Amino acid sequence: MISDSRHEGWSPALVRDRIVEAMIWQRRAVGRVGPGGIRGAMPTFRLSYEQRMAEGWDAVVPVDENEAERPIDPTPAQVTRMLAALRWPADILVGNDLRDTRAIDMSRAVSAACQAEAYDMSFARLVRERGIARVHAYTLRDRGLSIISQRLTKMGVPAWPDDAR
C-alpha cells in the first residue's frame, strides 16, 4: 500500500488503499466457493512425532500452508469499516441518482482500479469489460477517488491509519 500514515484526513490514495484492503479482506474472509470435491471428503493424514521418528523421517514437522499464513481475525469495528469501504463507490458516487452515467462510470472505474490492485489483475481488461475506454478510465478513477475523499472528510468520517487494521 502506498499511503502515508501521517495524514490528517482522507486523501484519494488513502481511499484507494482502504478499498483495496477491504477487497483483500473480503477475498480472504469468504474463502473458496463451490464444491470441495474429493479432497474435502478425505481425512488429513498426520503422523505423530513418535511415528515420524519410527519411520525415519525428519523430526521437523512440515507446516500446513493454511495454518502458516492464517491472518489475525479483524475486530467487529474493523469489519464494519471494511464493509463501508466496499460500498463507498456505489453509495458516495452514485447514491440514489442512477441516471447520471458519469457517476456510474466513475464508480465502475474506481472499483475496477481497486479490484485490479487487490486481485493482481489487469486494469485495462477490467475497464474494457465494463465498457469504458482505458484512457478515460484513469480520469474517472482519479476524479472518483477525489470525490470520495472529499465527501468522507465533509461527512466527518474519521480516517483510520495503517496500524488500525
Side-chain angles (χ1 to χ4, degrees):
M1 312 265 173
I2 61 171
S3 71
D4 184 6
S5 62
R6 297 170 290 161
H7 59 277
E8 292 294 322
W10 290 100
S11 68
L14 183 61
V15 169
R16 185 189 66 238
D17 287 350
R18 295 303 169 248
I19 295 173
V20 168
E21 173 188 349
M23 285 182 171
I24 292 170
W25 164 79
Q26 179 184 26
R27 178 181 60 189
R28 209 176 344 186
V30 171
R32 185 169 169 244
V33 178
I38 295 173
R39 183 172 185 260
M42 298 296 292
T44 305
F45 178 70
R46 297 182 190 254
L47 294 175
S48 68
Y49 178 76
E50 292 79 21
Q51 291 170 330
R52 289 183 66 77
M53 297 309 290
E55 293 292 326
W57 290 7
D58 190 12
V60 177
V61 179
V63 178
D64 185 19
E65 291 178 9
N66 294 333
E67 293 175 6
E69 301 204 16
R70 186 170 188 277
I72 298 172
D73 292 331
T75 65
Q78 291 169 330
V79 171
T80 302
R81 287 193 305 245
M82 286 188 272
L83 289 173
L86 290 171
R87 301 240 357 123
W88 290 339
D91 290 346
I92 293 176
L93 295 175
V94 178
N96 296 327
D97 185 15
L98 296 177
R99 286 180 250 153
D100 186 6
T101 58
R102 290 175 298 164
I104 294 171
D105 287 345
M106 245 188 290
S107 176
R108 288 177 180 164
V110 168
S111 296
C114 294
Q115 184 180 4
E117 189 174 336
Y119 297 122
D120 195 28
M121 299 172 79
S122 167
F123 177 65
R125 193 192 92 217
L126 290 173
V127 294
R128 185 177 58 240
E129 289 173 356
R130 288 163 173 80
I132 305 169
R134 183 172 55 96
V135 175
H136 189 54
Y138 288 109
T139 305
L140 290 171
R141 175 202 64 191
D142 294 342
R143 178 138 191 230
L145 289 170
S146 178
I147 290 171
I148 292 172
S149 68
Q150 290 170 10
R151 295 244 176 104
L152 289 173
T153 302
K154 185 176 181 181
M155 291 186 311
V157 176
W160 66 89
D162 288 337
D163 57 350
R165 288 185 233 178

